[in-house]
Amino acid sequence: MKKILTEAFSVNLIIAFMLFALGAYSLKNVKSISAFADTGAIYKADTEEKKIALMINVYENGDIVEEYLEIFEKENLKATFFIGGSWAAKNKETVKKIHDKGHTLGNHGYNHKMHTRLDEKGNIDEISRTNALIKEITGEKCTLFAPPSGDVNGSVVACAEKCGCKTVMWSCDTIDWRDSDREKVFSRIKRNLKPGALILMHPKQVTLDLMEEIVSYIKNEGYSFETVDNLIK
């Protein structure tokens, strides 16, 4: 009997230890998620209205960007294009066209660097250099910054603020830069379509092929399109 009780006590002790470890792990993860979300970056708009924003991060495929512009004009919607400076320097006419058609231009860094690995000077150089180029091309000041690869912390946000920019992340990532599967890309939008959603895309063929279907779906769900700057103000 004593042996049985000892074994039962040992089993309970092991279970208790496992539950404690699991709880500690969960709390650790909650803390890390909270810390990540507490950087000062914007992940969605604070609204209950059925409004969303399309975000397109651009470092390539100007031909697809041009086709996006045609679709958006046909569908009478405005989007926000976060432009890489090194790409913009080689595609000034496309950048100007984005602006002239009434879309918002945001900053996506100059050389697609990991901004949390840069010091303050490196961050400010990347952001301010792109801001200056956008101002040169369009005549307007850029007020939004989307860090390449979503690489953000409080220091990056502070540097963007010094350059006059709010830091914008996303609430829905299509991951179209990695996946060319239509269903995967589209399903991510369907799952995350909520008031104030910031939907991240890139100039990729899979997204171009889906774009009219995506716009139609969002409209049929009762949502309207805003630029990021209008949605988060």
Side-chain angles (χ1 to χ4, degrees), residues 207-233:
T207 310
L208 175 61
D209 293 342
L210 278 169
M211 188 61 79
E212 291 192 37
E213 192 175 348
I214 288 168
V215 171
S216 178
Y217 176 82
I218 291 173
K219 285 183 176 180
N220 288 338
E221 290 296 307
Y223 286 82
S224 61
F225 295 85
E226 295 281 351
T227 57
V228 171
D229 50 328
N230 283 335
L231 192 58
I232 66 176
K233 69 182 179 181

PDB file of all heavy atoms in Angstrom, residues 207-233:
ATOM      1  N   THR A 207      -1.183  37.101 -56.915  1.00  0.00           N
ATOM      2  CA  THR A 207      -2.078  38.131 -56.402  1.00  0.00           C
ATOM      3  C   THR A 207      -2.720  38.912 -57.536  1.00  0.00           C
ATOM      4  O   THR A 207      -3.910  39.260 -57.467  1.00  0.00           O
ATOM      5  CB  THR A 207      -1.315  39.070 -55.454  1.00  0.00           C
ATOM      6  OG1 THR A 207      -0.615  38.279 -54.496  1.00  0.00           O
ATOM      7  CG2 THR A 207      -2.262  39.997 -54.714  1.00  0.00           C
ATOM      8  N   LEU A 208      -1.948  39.159 -58.583  1.00  0.00           N
ATOM      9  CA  LEU A 208      -2.515  39.818 -59.762  1.00  0.00           C
ATOM     10  C   LEU A 208      -3.647  38.982 -60.343  1.00  0.00           C
ATOM     11  O   LEU A 208      -4.720  39.501 -60.663  1.00  0.00           O
ATOM     12  CB  LEU A 208      -1.428  40.038 -60.813  1.00  0.00           C
ATOM     13  CG  LEU A 208      -1.900  40.614 -62.151  1.00  0.00           C
ATOM     14  CD1 LEU A 208      -2.540  41.987 -61.956  1.00  0.00           C
ATOM     15  CD2 LEU A 208      -0.733  40.695 -63.138  1.00  0.00           C
ATOM     16  N   ASP A 209      -3.427  37.681 -60.466  1.00  0.00           N
ATOM     17  CA  ASP A 209      -4.457  36.797 -61.016  1.00  0.00           C
ATOM     18  C   ASP A 209      -5.718  36.781 -60.156  1.00  0.00           C
ATOM     19  O   ASP A 209      -6.830  36.560 -60.662  1.00  0.00           O
ATOM     20  CB  ASP A 209      -3.915  35.370 -61.146  1.00  0.00           C
ATOM     21  CG  ASP A 209      -2.815  35.245 -62.188  1.00  0.00           C
ATOM     22  OD1 ASP A 209      -2.703  36.158 -63.034  1.00  0.00           O
ATOM     23  OD2 ASP A 209      -2.065  34.254 -62.161  1.00  0.00           O
ATOM     24  N   LEU A 210      -5.552  37.006 -58.843  1.00  0.00           N
ATOM     25  CA  LEU A 210      -6.675  36.963 -57.909  1.00  0.00           C
ATOM     26  C   LEU A 210      -7.303  38.332 -57.643  1.00  0.00           C
ATOM     27  O   LEU A 210      -8.395  38.393 -57.055  1.00  0.00           O
ATOM     28  CB  LEU A 210      -6.192  36.414 -56.555  1.00  0.00           C
ATOM     29  CG  LEU A 210      -6.075  34.904 -56.381  1.00  0.00           C
ATOM     30  CD1 LEU A 210      -5.338  34.597 -55.081  1.00  0.00           C
ATOM     31  CD2 LEU A 210      -7.456  34.255 -56.365  1.00  0.00           C
ATOM     32  N   MET A 211      -6.641  39.406 -58.030  1.00  0.00           N
ATOM     33  CA  MET A 211      -7.001  40.726 -57.529  1.00  0.00           C
ATOM     34  C   MET A 211      -8.462  41.092 -57.756  1.00  0.00           C
ATOM     35  O   MET A 211      -9.150  41.570 -56.837  1.00  0.00           O
ATOM     36  CB  MET A 211      -6.096  41.801 -58.126  1.00  0.00           C
ATOM     37  CG  MET A 211      -6.300  43.176 -57.498  1.00  0.00           C
ATOM     38  SD  MET A 211      -5.932  43.217 -55.713  1.00  0.00           S
ATOM     39  CE  MET A 211      -4.142  43.315 -55.773  1.00  0.00           C
ATOM     40  N   GLU A 212      -8.971  40.887 -58.939  1.00  0.00           N
ATOM     41  CA  GLU A 212     -10.365  41.253 -59.199  1.00  0.00           C
ATOM     42  C   GLU A 212     -11.312  40.414 -58.348  1.00  0.00           C
ATOM     43  O   GLU A 212     -12.324  40.927 -57.846  1.00  0.00           O
ATOM     44  CB  GLU A 212     -10.680  41.109 -60.684  1.00  0.00           C
ATOM     45  CG  GLU A 212      -9.951  42.145 -61.536  1.00  0.00           C
ATOM     46  CD  GLU A 212     -10.479  42.197 -62.960  1.00  0.00           C
ATOM     47  OE1 GLU A 212     -11.694  42.055 -63.157  1.00  0.00           O
ATOM     48  OE2 GLU A 212      -9.655  42.374 -63.879  1.00  0.00           O
ATOM     49  N   GLU A 213     -10.983  39.154 -58.147  1.00  0.00           N
ATOM     50  CA  GLU A 213     -11.792  38.284 -57.299  1.00  0.00           C
ATOM     51  C   GLU A 213     -11.720  38.732 -55.837  1.00  0.00           C
ATOM     52  O   GLU A 213     -12.721  38.724 -55.114  1.00  0.00           O
ATOM     53  CB  GLU A 213     -11.304  36.837 -57.442  1.00  0.00           C
ATOM     54  CG  GLU A 213     -12.236  35.801 -56.844  1.00  0.00           C
ATOM     55  CD  GLU A 213     -11.770  34.378 -57.113  1.00  0.00           C
ATOM     56  OE1 GLU A 213     -10.862  34.183 -57.950  1.00  0.00           O
ATOM     57  OE2 GLU A 213     -12.331  33.471 -56.475  1.00  0.00           O
ATOM     58  N   ILE A 214     -10.525  39.126 -55.394  1.00  0.00           N
ATOM     59  CA  ILE A 214     -10.342  39.615 -54.027  1.00  0.00           C
ATOM     60  C   ILE A 214     -11.180  40.870 -53.798  1.00  0.00           C
ATOM     61  O   ILE A 214     -11.913  40.983 -52.802  1.00  0.00           O
ATOM     62  CB  ILE A 214      -8.851  39.922 -53.760  1.00  0.00           C
ATOM     63  CG1 ILE A 214      -8.048  38.629 -53.659  1.00  0.00           C
ATOM     64  CG2 ILE A 214      -8.688  40.752 -52.485  1.00  0.00           C
ATOM     65  CD1 ILE A 214      -6.536  38.841 -53.689  1.00  0.00           C
ATOM     66  N   VAL A 215     -11.086  41.824 -54.726  1.00  0.00           N
ATOM     67  CA  VAL A 215     -11.832  43.081 -54.594  1.00  0.00           C
ATOM     68  C   VAL A 215     -13.332  42.813 -54.572  1.00  0.00           C
ATOM     69  O   VAL A 215     -14.071  43.367 -53.750  1.00  0.00           O
ATOM     70  CB  VAL A 215     -11.461  44.051 -55.735  1.00  0.00           C
ATOM     71  CG1 VAL A 215     -12.393  45.263 -55.733  1.00  0.00           C
ATOM     72  CG2 VAL A 215     -10.005  44.492 -55.608  1.00  0.00           C
ATOM     73  N   SER A 216     -13.789  41.945 -55.458  1.00  0.00           N
ATOM     74  CA  SER A 216     -15.214  41.608 -55.523  1.00  0.00           C
ATOM     75  C   SER A 216     -15.683  40.966 -54.217  1.00  0.00           C
ATOM     76  O   SER A 216     -16.750  41.309 -53.690  1.00  0.00           O
ATOM     77  CB  SER A 216     -15.472  40.658 -56.694  1.00  0.00           C
ATOM     78  OG  SER A 216     -16.834  40.277 -56.740  1.00  0.00           O
ATOM     79  N   TYR A 217     -14.886  40.053 -53.674  1.00  0.00           N
ATOM     80  CA  TYR A 217     -15.245  39.383 -52.425  1.00  0.00           C
ATOM     81  C   TYR A 217     -15.361  40.397 -51.282  1.00  0.00           C
ATOM     82  O   TYR A 217     -16.338  40.379 -50.514  1.00  0.00           O
ATOM     83  CB  TYR A 217     -14.205  38.320 -52.080  1.00  0.00           C
ATOM     84  CG  TYR A 217     -14.448  37.652 -50.742  1.00  0.00           C
ATOM     85  CD1 TYR A 217     -15.359  36.604 -50.628  1.00  0.00           C
ATOM     86  CD2 TYR A 217     -13.793  38.086 -49.588  1.00  0.00           C
ATOM     87  CE1 TYR A 217     -15.601  35.998 -49.399  1.00  0.00           C
ATOM     88  CE2 TYR A 217     -14.030  37.496 -48.356  1.00  0.00           C
ATOM     89  CZ  TYR A 217     -14.938  36.451 -48.275  1.00  0.00           C
ATOM     90  OH  TYR A 217     -15.187  35.863 -47.055  1.00  0.00           O
ATOM     91  N   ILE A 218     -14.375  41.274 -51.166  1.00  0.00           N
ATOM     92  CA  ILE A 218     -14.370  42.264 -50.084  1.00  0.00           C
ATOM     93  C   ILE A 218     -15.584  43.195 -50.199  1.00  0.00           C
ATOM     94  O   ILE A 218     -16.257  43.495 -49.205  1.00  0.00           O
ATOM     95  CB  ILE A 218     -13.051  43.061 -50.097  1.00  0.00           C
ATOM     96  CG1 ILE A 218     -11.891  42.135 -49.690  1.00  0.00           C
ATOM     97  CG2 ILE A 218     -13.129  44.265 -49.158  1.00  0.00           C
ATOM     98  CD1 ILE A 218     -10.515  42.753 -49.836  1.00  0.00           C
ATOM     99  N   LYS A 219     -15.886  43.624 -51.409  1.00  0.00           N
ATOM    100  CA  LYS A 219     -17.053  44.480 -51.618  1.00  0.00           C
ATOM    101  C   LYS A 219     -18.344  43.743 -51.278  1.00  0.00           C
ATOM    102  O   LYS A 219     -19.240  44.305 -50.625  1.00  0.00           O
ATOM    103  CB  LYS A 219     -17.093  44.974 -53.070  1.00  0.00           C
ATOM    104  CG  LYS A 219     -16.079  46.060 -53.388  1.00  0.00           C
ATOM    105  CD  LYS A 219     -16.239  46.532 -54.827  1.00  0.00           C
ATOM    106  CE  LYS A 219     -15.304  47.694 -55.141  1.00  0.00           C
ATOM    107  NZ  LYS A 219     -15.447  48.153 -56.548  1.00  0.00           N
ATOM    108  N   ASN A 220     -18.455  42.490 -51.704  1.00  0.00           N
ATOM    109  CA  ASN A 220     -19.666  41.706 -51.443  1.00  0.00           C
ATOM    110  C   ASN A 220     -19.881  41.432 -49.959  1.00  0.00           C
ATOM    111  O   ASN A 220     -21.018  41.192 -49.523  1.00  0.00           O
ATOM    112  CB  ASN A 220     -19.628  40.384 -52.209  1.00  0.00           C
ATOM    113  CG  ASN A 220     -19.818  40.570 -53.701  1.00  0.00           C
ATOM    114  OD1 ASN A 220     -20.363  41.587 -54.149  1.00  0.00           O
ATOM    115  ND2 ASN A 220     -19.376  39.609 -54.488  1.00  0.00           N
ATOM    116  N   GLU A 221     -18.792  41.476 -49.190  1.00  0.00           N
ATOM    117  CA  GLU A 221     -18.899  41.302 -47.737  1.00  0.00           C
ATOM    118  C   GLU A 221     -19.273  42.614 -47.037  1.00  0.00           C
ATOM    119  O   GLU A 221     -19.364  42.667 -45.811  1.00  0.00           O
ATOM    120  CB  GLU A 221     -17.577  40.781 -47.168  1.00  0.00           C
ATOM    121  CG  GLU A 221     -17.262  39.337 -47.551  1.00  0.00           C
ATOM    122  CD  GLU A 221     -18.276  38.348 -46.987  1.00  0.00           C
ATOM    123  OE1 GLU A 221     -18.514  38.389 -45.764  1.00  0.00           O
ATOM    124  OE2 GLU A 221     -18.830  37.540 -47.773  1.00  0.00           O
ATOM    125  N   GLY A 222     -19.481  43.656 -47.832  1.00  0.00           N
ATOM    126  CA  GLY A 222     -19.948  44.923 -47.286  1.00  0.00           C
ATOM    127  C   GLY A 222     -18.864  45.898 -46.865  1.00  0.00           C
ATOM    128  O   GLY A 222     -19.133  46.888 -46.173  1.00  0.00           O
ATOM    129  N   TYR A 223     -17.629  45.639 -47.297  1.00  0.00           N
ATOM    130  CA  TYR A 223     -16.506  46.496 -46.905  1.00  0.00           C
ATOM    131  C   TYR A 223     -16.201  47.525 -47.988  1.00  0.00           C
ATOM    132  O   TYR A 223     -16.407  47.280 -49.184  1.00  0.00           O
ATOM    133  CB  TYR A 223     -15.259  45.656 -46.652  1.00  0.00           C
ATOM    134  CG  TYR A 223     -15.295  44.878 -45.359  1.00  0.00           C
ATOM    135  CD1 TYR A 223     -15.953  43.661 -45.285  1.00  0.00           C
ATOM    136  CD2 TYR A 223     -14.676  45.366 -44.207  1.00  0.00           C
ATOM    137  CE1 TYR A 223     -15.993  42.930 -44.098  1.00  0.00           C
ATOM    138  CE2 TYR A 223     -14.704  44.653 -43.022  1.00  0.00           C
ATOM    139  CZ  TYR A 223     -15.371  43.438 -42.975  1.00  0.00           C
ATOM    140  OH  TYR A 223     -15.413  42.742 -41.796  1.00  0.00           O
ATOM    141  N   SER A 224     -15.670  48.655 -47.556  1.00  0.00           N
ATOM    142  CA  SER A 224     -15.157  49.664 -48.480  1.00  0.00           C
ATOM    143  C   SER A 224     -13.657  49.783 -48.292  1.00  0.00           C
ATOM    144  O   SER A 224     -13.094  49.328 -47.283  1.00  0.00           O
ATOM    145  CB  SER A 224     -15.835  51.015 -48.244  1.00  0.00           C
ATOM    146  OG  SER A 224     -15.574  51.480 -46.923  1.00  0.00           O
ATOM    147  N   PHE A 225     -12.999  50.387 -49.267  1.00  0.00           N
ATOM    148  CA  PHE A 225     -11.535  50.492 -49.280  1.00  0.00           C
ATOM    149  C   PHE A 225     -11.103  51.907 -48.915  1.00  0.00           C
ATOM    150  O   PHE A 225     -11.651  52.880 -49.403  1.00  0.00           O
ATOM    151  CB  PHE A 225     -10.996  50.144 -50.671  1.00  0.00           C
ATOM    152  CG  PHE A 225     -11.245  48.720 -51.073  1.00  0.00           C
ATOM    153  CD1 PHE A 225     -12.456  48.353 -51.648  1.00  0.00           C
ATOM    154  CD2 PHE A 225     -10.283  47.745 -50.897  1.00  0.00           C
ATOM    155  CE1 PHE A 225     -12.710  47.042 -52.039  1.00  0.00           C
ATOM    156  CE2 PHE A 225     -10.514  46.433 -51.275  1.00  0.00           C
ATOM    157  CZ  PHE A 225     -11.729  46.084 -51.846  1.00  0.00           C
ATOM    158  N   GLU A 226     -10.075  51.985 -48.068  1.00  0.00           N
ATOM    159  CA  GLU A 226      -9.472  53.252 -47.691  1.00  0.00           C
ATOM    160  C   GLU A 226      -7.958  53.136 -47.868  1.00  0.00           C
ATOM    161  O   GLU A 226      -7.404  52.026 -47.901  1.00  0.00           O
ATOM    162  CB  GLU A 226      -9.758  53.586 -46.227  1.00  0.00           C
ATOM    163  CG  GLU A 226     -11.201  53.831 -45.898  1.00  0.00           C
ATOM    164  CD  GLU A 226     -11.686  55.226 -46.300  1.00  0.00           C
ATOM    165  OE1 GLU A 226     -10.835  56.060 -46.681  1.00  0.00           O
ATOM    166  OE2 GLU A 226     -12.903  55.464 -46.219  1.00  0.00           O
ATOM    167  N   THR A 227      -7.292  54.270 -47.981  1.00  0.00           N
ATOM    168  CA  THR A 227      -5.819  54.236 -47.875  1.00  0.00           C
ATOM    169  C   THR A 227      -5.464  54.127 -46.402  1.00  0.00           C
ATOM    170  O   THR A 227      -6.265  54.472 -45.518  1.00  0.00           O
ATOM    171  CB  THR A 227      -5.209  55.511 -48.478  1.00  0.00           C
ATOM    172  OG1 THR A 227      -5.755  56.653 -47.817  1.00  0.00           O
ATOM    173  CG2 THR A 227      -5.479  55.586 -49.981  1.00  0.00           C
ATOM    174  N   VAL A 228      -4.270  53.634 -46.120  1.00  0.00           N
ATOM    175  CA  VAL A 228      -3.876  53.424 -44.728  1.00  0.00           C
ATOM    176  C   VAL A 228      -3.924  54.721 -43.939  1.00  0.00           C
ATOM    177  O   VAL A 228      -4.428  54.760 -42.799  1.00  0.00           O
ATOM    178  CB  VAL A 228      -2.461  52.789 -44.656  1.00  0.00           C
ATOM    179  CG1 VAL A 228      -1.965  52.767 -43.215  1.00  0.00           C
ATOM    180  CG2 VAL A 228      -2.473  51.383 -45.225  1.00  0.00           C
ATOM    181  N   ASP A 229      -3.402  55.804 -44.516  1.00  0.00           N
ATOM    182  CA  ASP A 229      -3.361  57.064 -43.785  1.00  0.00           C
ATOM    183  C   ASP A 229      -4.766  57.547 -43.411  1.00  0.00           C
ATOM    184  O   ASP A 229      -4.989  58.082 -42.320  1.00  0.00           O
ATOM    185  CB  ASP A 229      -2.601  58.142 -44.568  1.00  0.00           C
ATOM    186  CG  ASP A 229      -3.062  58.269 -46.007  1.00  0.00           C
ATOM    187  OD1 ASP A 229      -3.469  57.256 -46.598  1.00  0.00           O
ATOM    188  OD2 ASP A 229      -3.011  59.389 -46.559  1.00  0.00           O
ATOM    189  N   ASN A 230      -5.738  57.358 -44.293  1.00  0.00           N
ATOM    190  CA  ASN A 230      -7.114  57.759 -43.980  1.00  0.00           C
ATOM    191  C   ASN A 230      -7.758  56.829 -42.957  1.00  0.00           C
ATOM    192  O   ASN A 230      -8.564  57.268 -42.125  1.00  0.00           O
ATOM    193  CB  ASN A 230      -7.965  57.777 -45.243  1.00  0.00           C
ATOM    194  CG  ASN A 230      -7.716  59.006 -46.105  1.00  0.00           C
ATOM    195  OD1 ASN A 230      -7.279  60.046 -45.593  1.00  0.00           O
ATOM    196  ND2 ASN A 230      -7.963  58.894 -47.393  1.00  0.00           N
ATOM    197  N   LEU A 231      -7.390  55.556 -43.002  1.00  0.00           N
ATOM    198  CA  LEU A 231      -8.026  54.574 -42.120  1.00  0.00           C
ATOM    199  C   LEU A 231      -7.539  54.698 -40.684  1.00  0.00           C
ATOM    200  O   LEU A 231      -8.307  54.478 -39.745  1.00  0.00           O
ATOM    201  CB  LEU A 231      -7.753  53.159 -42.644  1.00  0.00           C
ATOM    202  CG  LEU A 231      -8.565  52.031 -42.028  1.00  0.00           C
ATOM    203  CD1 LEU A 231     -10.062  52.246 -42.192  1.00  0.00           C
ATOM    204  CD2 LEU A 231      -8.156  50.680 -42.633  1.00  0.00           C
ATOM    205  N   ILE A 232      -6.275  55.059 -40.493  1.00  0.00           N
ATOM    206  CA  ILE A 232      -5.720  55.063 -39.134  1.00  0.00           C
ATOM    207  C   ILE A 232      -5.754  56.434 -38.467  1.00  0.00           C
ATOM    208  O   ILE A 232      -5.414  56.556 -37.296  1.00  0.00           O
ATOM    209  CB  ILE A 232      -4.263  54.549 -39.119  1.00  0.00           C
ATOM    210  CG1 ILE A 232      -3.334  55.500 -39.869  1.00  0.00           C
ATOM    211  CG2 ILE A 232      -4.183  53.144 -39.680  1.00  0.00           C
ATOM    212  CD1 ILE A 232      -1.861  55.110 -39.813  1.00  0.00           C
ATOM    213  N   LYS A 233      -6.181  57.456 -39.174  1.00  0.00           N
ATOM    214  CA  LYS A 233      -6.132  58.809 -38.583  1.00  0.00           C
ATOM    215  C   LYS A 233      -7.207  59.009 -37.509  1.00  0.00           C
ATOM    216  O   LYS A 233      -8.191  58.287 -37.478  1.00  0.00           O
ATOM    217  CB  LYS A 233      -6.244  59.865 -39.667  1.00  0.00           C
ATOM    218  CG  LYS A 233      -7.597  59.950 -40.350  1.00  0.00           C
ATOM    219  CD  LYS A 233      -7.562  60.990 -41.441  1.00  0.00           C
ATOM    220  CE  LYS A 233      -8.916  61.077 -42.167  1.00  0.00           C
ATOM    221  NZ  LYS A 233      -8.905  62.061 -43.261  1.00  0.00           N
TER     222      LYS A 233
END
